[in-house]
Amino acid sequence: MAVSYTKGFSADDIAEIEAVIDGMVDARFYAKEMDRNPSRPVFNVELEQMFRSSADIRAKIEQDLRRGVERFPESLDLHAFLSLNLREQGRYEEAVEHMRLLAEAHPEDADWQIAYATSYMGYGQPGVVHGEKGRTALLEAHEYARAQFHAIADRIYRMDLTEAQKFSLNQFSAAMDQPPRVKVVDARSPVVRTLDDAGANAVNKLREWIFGPDEPP
């Protein structure tokens, strides 16, 4: 993956930054694949542990990114991916605050300001929405993030932007104005869903038989 912000970096620096990002992207994709359908049947303990380890993968990614930003504190790419990683862990306030401080440190640089604005993307959305209360909470979080984004964007639009920066900000603005997805659609057929549920139940029974009923989830 190409580094988008190259100001002040040598070719060797950029290669190192790209290596960190490439490793992070690969691990992030692996974690995403494990999250895609957590209800599908799990046929052995090793596979179940793999599915559970997605949180561990994100924690490892965070460590790698923190080492990266320590080595290259002016790499917007690494900071932006760190903010994304924190959001994927559900640490939304921390993700936004991280980029806010960086934006304050680069008040005249539109790229850093845009990165701060976009730290509100996906604010509060990951996770399963349960019932009407959950849906209401999700919509409230989305509206809060949308308002915060546009307040920052209004200020950025007054800066001397390049066409590429205008295009990026416009794209993010359009994305922020989309309503959040409030439920996951289960596309499995009723027969497959029944088989999957039966398989998952069988695995749970097997685990209880092997480890006992008091094993932590």
Side-chain angles (χ1 to χ4, degrees):
M1 177 173 287
V3 172
S4 61
Y5 189 86
T6 60
K7 298 177 183 176
F9 293 113
S10 68
D12 288 341
D13 291 340
I14 293 171
E16 283 193 53
I17 294 169
E18 285 182 346
V20 174
I21 293 173
D22 286 343
M24 182 279 305
V25 169
D26 289 343
R28 181 170 172 264
F29 175 78
Y30 182 59
K32 283 287 189 183
E33 283 299 296
M34 292 196 298
D35 286 344
R36 191 173 300 279
N37 188 357
S39 67
R40 66 172 145 178
V42 179
F43 296 108
N44 59 64
V45 174
E46 181 181 353
L47 185 60
E48 184 169 359
Q49 289 303 116
M50 183 187 79
F51 271 82
R52 290 181 177 184
S53 69
S54 59
D56 295 333
I57 292 172
R58 290 190 178 88
K60 173 64 167 57
I61 295 171
E62 180 186 349
Q63 292 174 0
D64 292 343
L65 288 169
R66 289 195 183 279
R67 282 193 290 267
V69 298
E70 184 176 350
R71 175 160 171 72
F72 300 105
E74 289 300 305
S75 172
L76 185 150
D77 297 80
L78 292 176
H79 283 292
F81 275 118
L82 176 56
S83 177
L84 174 61
N85 173 271
L86 295 172
R87 297 201 303 279
E88 289 183 338
Q89 294 185 67
R91 294 153 62 184
Y92 308 108
E93 293 85 358
E94 187 178 347
V96 169
E97 181 67 7
H98 181 82
M99 296 310 300
R100 184 188 69 79
L101 294 173
L102 291 163
E104 288 185 351
H106 303 82
E108 305 302 323
D109 193 314
D111 288 321
W112 288 91
Q113 305 304 312
I114 293 171
Y116 168 37
T118 56
S119 66
Y120 282 100
M121 297 286 291
Y123 192 99
Q125 291 189 37
V128 178
V129 177
H130 297 285
E132 190 59 31
K133 287 185 178 180
R135 184 178 186 278
T136 298
L138 174 62
L139 294 174
E140 288 176 351
H142 174 72
E143 184 55 34
Y144 166 77
R146 180 177 173 275
Q148 294 298 313
F149 172 89
H150 283 299
I152 302 166
D154 285 344
R155 174 171 54 79
I156 299 172
Y157 278 122
R158 293 194 291 270
M159 300 177 71
D160 185 18
L161 303 178
T162 65
E163 289 303 313
Q165 289 168 334
K166 289 178 184 177
F167 179 77
S168 294
L169 195 53
N170 288 341
Q171 291 290 99
F172 285 125
S173 182
M176 286 297 299
D177 286 334
Q178 295 296 315
R181 296 173 61 184
V182 297
K183 65 179 179 180
V184 176
V185 177
D186 189 345
R188 296 174 298 167
S189 71
V191 172
V192 171
R193 188 180 304 119
T194 300
L195 291 173
D196 283 357
D197 291 344
N201 288 334
V203 168
N204 289 335
K205 289 292 185 182
L206 178 61
R207 289 183 60 81
E208 184 175 333
W209 179 74
I210 295 174
F211 299 105
D214 298 325
E215 187 208 8

